[in-house]
């Protein structure tokens, strides 16, 4: 999705995104400055202590490097550096390729950039979501810079949601679920039991005002 961007807040550059050299914008990052200015290899030593390269890892069945340290709610590794918390998989990638771009310019203007996981994109059996084991992979060769739109397309977006059989309140979708297509053409699944009041506190504002048909 295109964004309104104040480019004076970034450093313009060119980098490979979606497999091609494209204009990008790179923000100032304290963690990256700390990484490249540190004496010796202290940050990398700390980072390496939280990584296993065991090919028999119980969490990943490929040749990924598995992060064993803290993770965020989305399942990605977290690492403290330069007074900031950074995605663990970005650290060694940044050593090899430089500070990751934040925005890339494409046909529809500026959009965000992600470090996508090739190991996930190439695994059609992976359902994605916070439990996706590939999110803990920190191997630079398994990463590539992707525009937001490409990342969504490549990441089996929504598969883990579509496979759910119950709503967060525990109501079976087969019995209570229904779909609603909004004016933009996006199909969303809602639970009619929750909508009718069994979970009324969660349905306020725009959700409460939706005109839906069971």
């Amino acid at each position: 999705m295109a964004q309104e961007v104040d480019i004076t807040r970034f450093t313009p550059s060119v980098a490979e995104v979606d497999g091609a050299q494209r204009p990008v914008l790179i923000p100032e990052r304290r963690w990256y400055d700390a990484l490249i200015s540190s004496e010796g290899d202290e940050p990398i030593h700390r980072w390496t202590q939280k990584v296993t390269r065991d090919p028999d890892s119980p969490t990943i069945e490929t040749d990924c490097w598995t992060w064993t340290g803290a993770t965020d709610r989305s399942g990605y590794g977290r690492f403290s550096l330069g007074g900031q918390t950074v995605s663990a998989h970005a650290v060694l990638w940044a050593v090899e390729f430089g500070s990751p771009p934040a925005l890339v310019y494409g046909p529809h203007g500026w959009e965000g950039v992600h470090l996508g996981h090739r190991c996930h994109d190439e695994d059609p059996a992976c359902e994605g979501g916070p439990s996706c084991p590939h999110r803990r992979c920190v191997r630079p060769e398994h990463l590539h810079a992707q525009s937001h739109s490409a990342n969504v397309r490549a990441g089996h977006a929504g598969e883990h949601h579509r496979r759910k059989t119950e709503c967060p309140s525990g109501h079976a979708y087969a019995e209570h679920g229904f779909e609603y297509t909004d004016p933009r053409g996006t199909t969303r699944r809602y639970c009619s039991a929750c909508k009718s009041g069994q979970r009324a506190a969660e349905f306020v504002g725009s959700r409460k005002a939706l005109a839906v048909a069971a």
Side-chain angles (χ1 to χ4, degrees), residues 176-198:
H176 300 286
F178 62 91
E179 292 184 345
Y180 163 70
T181 301
D182 67 20
R184 294 184 178 182
T186 302
T187 299
R188 309 177 186 276
R189 183 169 56 174
Y190 295 98
C191 174
S192 55
C194 289
K195 178 68 177 178
S196 65
Q198 295 183 39

Side-chain angles (χ1 to χ4, degrees), residues 1-201:
M1 181 179 294
Q3 302 180 27
E4 292 291 333
V5 177
D6 177 5
I7 63 173
T8 62
R9 298 173 51 214
F10 301 86
T11 299
S13 187
V14 176
E16 182 174 308
V17 179
D18 297 341
Q21 295 293 316
R22 300 172 63 182
V24 298
L25 296 177
I26 301 175
E28 292 186 5
R29 291 187 170 100
R30 293 199 310 274
W31 69 262
Y32 180 72
D33 293 340
L35 180 65
I36 62 175
S37 63
S38 296
E39 295 183 4
D41 58 357
E42 187 274 336
I44 297 303
H45 177 73
R46 285 194 296 113
W47 183 90
T48 302
Q49 298 306 301
K50 301 177 185 295
V51 177
T52 176
R53 303 183 186 185
D54 183 359
D56 297 321
S57 168
T59 57
I60 299 180
E61 297 178 354
T62 66
D63 55 348
C64 296
W65 295 355
T66 307
W67 182 255
T68 62
T71 59
D72 61 20
R73 295 178 61 183
S74 297
Y76 294 100
R78 307 299 287 165
F79 185 68
S80 178
L81 183 59
Q84 292 184 305
T85 300
V86 58
S87 295
H89 62 278
V91 175
L92 198 56
W93 191 94
V95 170
E96 298 195 14
F97 302 106
S99 185
L103 297 164
V104 60
Y105 193 80
H108 305 292
W110 294 104
E111 62 175 314
V113 176
H114 303 268
L115 289 183
H117 285 80
R118 299 181 192 272
C119 45
H120 171 72
D121 299 348
E122 297 170 2
D123 183 359
C126 185
E127 297 182 5
S131 62
C132 168
H134 303 99
R135 294 190 177 191
R136 294 192 295 280
C137 177
V138 294
R139 186 170 183 175
E141 293 85 356
H142 286 199
L143 303 172
H144 57 153
Q146 292 178 308
S147 62
H148 175 73
S149 55
N151 183 265
V152 169
R153 290 194 301 269
H156 324 314
E159 285 297 321
H160 62 293
H161 290 301
R162 287 190 283 272
R163 290 189 171 97
K164 291 179 179 178
T165 59
E166 296 181 346
C167 79
S169 295
H171 301 126
Y173 279 126
E175 181 179 354
H176 300 286
F178 62 91
E179 292 184 345
Y180 163 70
T181 301
D182 67 20
R184 294 184 178 182
T186 302
T187 299
R188 309 177 186 276
R189 183 169 56 174
Y190 295 98
C191 174
S192 55
C194 289
K195 178 68 177 178
S196 65
Q198 295 183 39
R199 199 178 177 222

Side-chain angles (χ1 to χ4, degrees), residues 169 194 199-204 207:
S169 295
C194 289
R199 199 178 177 222
E202 298 292 329
F203 290 84
V204 296
R207 283 189 174 185

